[in-house]
Amino acid sequence: MNSAPVSEHRLHRRVQFHETDAAGMVHFSWFYRYMEEAEHALWRAAGLSVTEVAADVFFPRVSASCDFRNPLRFEDEFEIAIRITGLTEKTIRYACAMTRGETPIASGTLVAACVSVRPGQPLKAVPIPQAIRDRFAVAPV
Amino acid sequence: MNSAPVSEHRLHRRVQFHETDAAGMVHFSWFYRYMEEAEHALWRAAGLSVTEVAADVFFPRVSASCDFRNPLRFEDEFEIAIRITGLTEKTIRYACAMTRGETPIASGTLVAACVSVRPGQPLKAVPIPQAIRDRFAVAPV
Amino acid sequence: MNSAPVSEHRLHRRVQFHETDAAGMVHFSWFYRYMEEAEHALWRAAGLSVTEVAADVFFPRVSASCDFRNPLRFEDEFEIAIRITGLTEKTIRYACAMTRGETPIASGTLVAACVSVRPGQPLKAVPIPQAIRDRFAVAPV
Amino acid sequence: MNSAPVSEHRLHRRVQFHETDAAGMVHFSWFYRYMEEAEHALWRAAGLSVTEVAADVFFPRVSASCDFRNPLRFEDEFEIAIRITGLTEKTIRYACAMTRGETPIASGTLVAACVSVRPGQPLKAVPIPQAIRDRFAVAPV
């Protein structure tokens, strides 16, 4: 594990058949999952897991968006490049660029909030634990 | 709510676009979800929820199988008929027939075991709570 | 079928177990599918199907976004209200509000482009066929 | 590419968050997708793609079954070992064993039929093209 804070990560991925739809392309809902897979890979690269670091917090999404440029098809190999673009007391903002070789496929954003887990209570945003914060930094522009 | 034990249920469903794959048909993995949707509708018809009745048990699958006869396509309307075909101390067995009008689509089975939830411990089959058992009966052949 | 153009639609839905994740809530990727289910229900309310009206065009997404306010959990019943908020020569813009009773759950947008299907060619935006256009109108603010 | 016929393949995989459900485990419908991912990896190992070899046939499932022994959880690394256990004129039968280290997770079977694609016609099983057949062999017991 690298002890420097982590700002970005690249994930290589192949399109699976069950990710396609009857238009012969990857269904758009999958791009949000691809972004999340890259986010979790980024956390692992930082030596963390979204579920194991702190048993009493988790990081649900506050918002997510994606712009679609070109389709992905079955067995296409592509890359998801994720970068941390914002880090506030309670939230982490990511930007993702998905590409197949030189072809731009999609670009998106995820905002996740640090939320305390109290059974039977509404979700409540809380400060990101220091042990997690220390492992991340905003990527240079 | 009917106070007689429940043995079978019919669920009407329409194929959603995200359930199709690049072959233009519903991806086969969805049929297992359709069967589970019918199972949970059967539980609701019995006045139960798989997650709320007993906080310390749940019903993961021990096995599931499906034979595929004809494809389903986007916006097809179809029916899932589920029947309880076996009820042992710790398991429930279901059979499902999926049809689109008169056309047979698929038939499958699910076996679910009653399992106790003990954090950090392996899953362990336990007797089905009486309050659940009383609500179900094996369907006549 | 109503012969007046259609601008909005409401879809009632129940959360299925397979839509939840290990945080005990509906996985955020599902909200994009819920929006699409409402979009296709809106098309059906207009007497159309996204796949049947014109064999040589389809309507992939150009962009989609969602803000998440409160979680949905297994068996929650909720509503997806979809409205057409923009209609250009080649695109349709929708806004969706998802609610569980009085509780706001999520709100999102979809932009779909009319694209011609030419095997082996890149996707190309084309004017929305008149027979489709005539069935839709932008919802009043 | 190896020119000898292919009989088995091993695929290493990590559980993604969106594959889990509210019971904190991988939803059982995913195991069928894992098997299919291994099947397609086996085809690639044989120098083939289920979608590209022959434009006029595809290989939908005739049946699929799975027995579940132990749960998989988020970020678990596991292996899917797939073997060809039967090869008839028109069908291929696979057996899959899924394991996490020494722990048995699940075992399943897939049967796929070679089907001709004729727009607007019912699916019809046809002989597996020789160029595909030659690349596969039944695994020794």
Side-chain angles (χ1 to χ4, degrees):
Chain A
M1 192 187 110
N2 188 346
S3 62
V6 168
S7 297
E8 51 193 354
H9 192 74
R10 285 171 182 274
L11 182 67
H12 192 80
R13 184 74 156 68
R14 187 194 299 272
V15 172
Q16 299 296 336
F17 190 70
H18 59 79
E19 297 163 10
T20 62
D21 64 29
M25 320 179 325
V26 169
H27 190 264
F28 81 111
S29 60
W30 268 94
F31 289 88
Y32 302 90
R33 296 179 172 187
Y34 294 157
M35 291 197 281
E36 185 180 77
E37 292 186 11
E39 175 197 14
H40 293 166
L42 173 79
W43 279 60
R44 285 192 294 272
L48 301 172
S49 167
V50 281
T51 58
E52 287 168 20
V53 158
D56 53 349
V57 297
F58 73 118
F59 289 81
R61 284 79 186 75
V62 173
S63 68
S65 68
C66 196
D67 294 312
F68 308 98
R69 298 278 301 278
N70 284 292
L72 284 177
R73 299 184 194 279
F74 176 53
E75 293 193 332
D76 277 354
E77 294 186 64
F78 65 103
E79 195 170 69
I80 309 143
I82 188 167
R83 303 165 63 247
I84 297 179
T85 56
L87 205 45
T88 70
E89 190 198 7
K90 300 177 180 177
T91 66
I92 309 181
R93 176 181 293 269
Y94 306 92
C96 292
M98 288 164 270
T99 49
R100 187 190 64 242
E102 299 297 307
T103 306
I105 297 297
S107 56
T109 61
L110 289 179
V111 182
C114 184
V115 163
S116 70
V117 180
R118 300 274 170 85
Q121 305 234 342
L123 303 182
K124 188 176 179 303
V126 295
I128 298 170
Q130 198 62 37
I132 295 176
R133 248 199 114 69
D134 288 348
R135 301 296 309 126
F136 294 122
V138 172
V141 182
Chain B
M1 192 188 111
N2 188 348
S3 62
V6 168
S7 296
E8 50 194 354
H9 192 74
R10 286 171 182 272
L11 183 67
H12 192 81
R13 184 72 156 73
R14 188 195 299 271
V15 172
Q16 299 296 336
F17 190 69
H18 59 79
E19 297 163 10
T20 62
D21 63 30
M25 320 179 325
V26 169
H27 190 263
F28 81 111
S29 60
W30 268 93
F31 290 87
Y32 301 90
R33 296 179 172 187
Y34 294 157
M35 292 197 281
E36 184 180 76
E37 292 186 11
E39 176 197 14
H40 293 166
L42 174 79
W43 279 60
R44 285 192 295 272
L48 302 173
S49 167
V50 280
T51 58
E52 287 168 19
V53 157
D56 54 349
V57 298
F58 72 119
F59 289 81
R61 284 79 186 75
V62 173
S63 68
S65 68
C66 196
D67 293 312
F68 307 99
R69 298 277 302 278
N70 284 293
L72 284 177
R73 301 184 193 278
F74 176 53
E75 292 192 332
D76 277 353
E77 294 186 64
F78 65 103
E79 195 171 69
I80 309 143
I82 188 167
R83 302 166 63 247
I84 297 179
T85 56
L87 205 46
T88 70
E89 189 197 8
K90 300 177 180 177
T91 66
I92 309 180
R93 176 181 293 269
Y94 306 92
C96 292
M98 288 164 270
T99 49
R100 188 190 62 241
E102 299 297 307
T103 305
I105 298 296
S107 56
T109 61
L110 290 179
V111 182
C114 184
V115 163
S116 71
V117 180
R118 298 275 171 86
Q121 305 233 342
L123 303 182
K124 188 176 178 304
V126 296
I128 299 170
Q130 199 61 37
I132 295 176
R133 247 198 116 68
D134 288 348
R135 300 296 309 128
F136 293 122
V138 172
V141 182
Chain C
M1 191 188 110
N2 188 348
S3 62
V6 168
S7 297
E8 51 194 354
H9 192 73
R10 285 170 181 274
L11 182 67
H12 193 80
R13 182 74 155 70
R14 188 194 299 271
V15 172
Q16 299 296 337
F17 190 70
H18 59 78
E19 297 164 10
T20 62
D21 64 28
M25 320 180 325
V26 168
H27 190 264
F28 81 110
S29 59
W30 269 93
F31 289 88
Y32 302 91
R33 296 178 172 188
Y34 294 156
M35 291 197 282
E36 185 179 76
E37 292 186 10
E39 175 197 15
H40 293 165
L42 173 79
W43 279 59
R44 285 191 295 272
L48 301 173
S49 167
V50 281
T51 58
E52 288 168 19
V53 157
D56 53 349
V57 297
F58 73 118
F59 290 81
R61 283 78 186 75
V62 174
S63 67
S65 67
C66 196
D67 294 311
F68 307 99
R69 298 278 301 278
N70 284 292
L72 284 177
R73 300 183 193 280
F74 175 53
E75 293 192 332
D76 277 353
E77 295 186 63
F78 65 103
E79 196 171 69
I80 309 143
I82 189 167
R83 303 166 63 247
I84 296 179
T85 56
L87 205 45
T88 70
E89 190 197 7
K90 299 178 182 177
T91 66
I92 308 180
R93 176 180 294 269
Y94 306 92
C96 292
M98 288 164 269
T99 49
R100 188 189 63 242
E102 299 297 307
T103 305
I105 297 297
S107 56
T109 61
L110 290 180
V111 182
C114 185
V115 164
S116 71
V117 180
R118 301 271 172 87
Q121 305 233 342
L123 303 183
K124 187 175 178 307
V126 295
I128 298 170
Q130 198 62 36
I132 296 177
R133 245 200 116 67
D134 287 348
R135 300 297 308 127
F136 294 123
V138 172
V141 183
Chain D
M1 191 189 110
N2 188 347
S3 62
V6 168
S7 297
E8 50 194 354
H9 191 74
R10 285 170 181 274
L11 182 67
H12 192 80
R13 183 74 155 68
R14 187 195 299 273
V15 172
Q16 299 296 337
F17 190 70
H18 59 79
E19 297 164 10
T20 62
D21 63 29
M25 321 180 325
V26 169
H27 190 264
F28 81 111
S29 60
W30 268 94
F31 289 88
Y32 302 91
R33 297 179 172 187
Y34 295 156
M35 291 197 280
E36 184 179 77
E37 293 186 11
E39 175 197 15
H40 293 166
L42 173 79
W43 279 59
R44 286 191 294 272
L48 301 173
S49 168
V50 281
T51 58
E52 288 168 18
V53 159
D56 54 349
V57 297
F58 73 119
F59 289 81
R61 283 80 187 74
V62 173
S63 67
S65 67
C66 195
D67 294 310
F68 307 99
R69 298 279 301 278
N70 285 292
L72 284 177
R73 299 183 194 279
F74 176 53
E75 293 192 331
D76 277 353
E77 294 185 64
F78 65 103
E79 196 171 68
I80 309 143
I82 189 167
R83 304 166 63 247
I84 297 178
T85 56
L87 205 46
T88 70
E89 190 198 7
K90 300 178 181 176
T91 66
I92 309 180
R93 176 181 294 269
Y94 306 92
C96 292
M98 289 164 269
T99 48
R100 188 188 64 242
E102 299 297 307
T103 305
I105 297 297
S107 55
T109 61
L110 290 179
V111 182
C114 184
V115 164
S116 71
V117 179
R118 299 274 171 85
Q121 305 233 342
L123 303 182
K124 188 177 179 305
V126 295
I128 298 171
Q130 198 62 37
I132 295 177
R133 247 199 114 69
D134 288 348
R135 301 297 308 128
F136 294 122
V138 172
V141 182

